[in-house]
Amino acid sequence: MDPITQIYLENVDYREFDKEAWLKKYNYTFNADKTLDIHSDNEVALSNRDFISLPFNFNKVEGPFSCSYNNLKTLKGCPKYVGGDFYCYTNRITSLEGGPEIVMGSYHCFNCDLTTLKGIAKHIGGHLYCYANNLESLDFLPDYLGGTLSSDFPPEYNQIALQKIKDKKYIRTLSHDDEMPDVTDIFD
């Protein structure tokens, strides 16, 4: 069996997706564990394809990774490391588990069916966009967020988020519904 077929996920209908033609756009490596590394600063684009799951198991992507506007129910197969922005918005995912552990850019998970941030990357170098979900809490925030937090949390959650950001030494937070909080004491 060729390596492309070996890493191809099972139970997925990809009749209109030419995996070999798609791979030709990228400099890539197949790993011994049957994962795929993409060595390119160009966006790895798997959006708008009506996928219910990803066609490959990714390990590392050096640039942005986009799997938005699909029917994904899980982030299984997403890269563990994304060197740019990570886009998984407008899907049917209910959990961020299986998603990246490190995102060097911004993390876009808005307009999904999320009720929790469980499984979110531990390191997000840019902004976190998680509005238009049904989030019930701010548990599971990343350990590091280099930008703002944009969400639909009620005002009482904003105070909790601000305290968590202070506790984890985040740079700043921003609620989708409220004004920018005073962040001057975060830098003390």
Side-chain angles (χ1 to χ4, degrees), residues 71-75 88-89 91-96 109 112-115 133:
N71 285 307
L72 297 178
K73 294 180 182 178
T74 177
L75 293 179
C88 64
Y89 59 87
N91 274 296
R92 295 171 28 196
I93 56 175
T94 57
S95 167
L96 298 174
C109 58
C112 292
D113 294 328
L114 299 172
T115 57
N133 282 295

Side-chain angles (χ1 to χ4, degrees), residues 74-167:
T74 177
L75 293 179
K76 180 182 176 186
C78 281
K80 299 302 173 213
Y81 172 91
V82 177
D85 287 355
F86 174 71
Y87 305 94
C88 64
Y89 59 87
T90 313
N91 274 296
R92 295 171 28 196
I93 56 175
T94 57
S95 167
L96 298 174
E97 293 176 299
E101 297 169 10
I102 297 173
V103 175
M104 298 307 290
S106 294
Y107 197 112
H108 305 258
C109 58
F110 57 88
N111 198 30
C112 292
D113 294 328
L114 299 172
T115 57
T116 178
L117 294 176
K118 187 174 184 178
I120 196 157
K122 296 294 181 196
H123 176 101
I124 299 173
H127 308 290
L128 170 56
Y129 300 100
C130 57
Y131 55 88
N133 282 295
N134 297 309
L135 293 172
E136 297 170 355
S137 77
L138 287 174
D139 293 339
F140 309 108
L141 284 170
D143 293 336
Y144 176 79
L145 179 65
T148 59
L149 168 65
S150 183
S151 69
D152 289 327
F153 294 118
E156 62 270 16
Y157 281 57
N158 294 330
Q159 295 305 316
I160 296 169
L162 182 57
Q163 186 59 48
K164 286 185 178 196
I165 287 168
K166 288 178 187 177
D167 292 347

Side-chain angles (χ1 to χ4, degrees), residues 1-7 34:
M1 183 179 303
D2 68 89
I4 294 174
T5 302
Q6 286 180 346
I7 67 164
K34 300 181 183 176

Side-chain angles (χ1 to χ4, degrees), residues 1-23 28-37 46 49-59 76-78:
M1 183 179 303
D2 68 89
I4 294 174
T5 302
Q6 286 180 346
I7 67 164
Y8 210 50
L9 295 177
E10 297 177 10
N11 304 319
V12 184
D13 184 3
Y14 295 105
R15 286 177 286 219
E16 296 180 27
F17 181 70
D18 184 343
K19 58 189 174 186
E20 291 178 9
W22 184 86
L23 280 171
Y28 61 89
T29 303
F30 287 111
N31 300 309
D33 64 356
K34 300 181 183 176
T35 60
L36 181 65
D37 289 346
L46 290 168
R49 296 185 181 269
D50 206 28
F51 289 153
I52 56 172
S53 63
L54 293 174
F56 300 101
N57 284 315
F58 292 90
N59 178 52
K76 180 182 176 186
C78 281

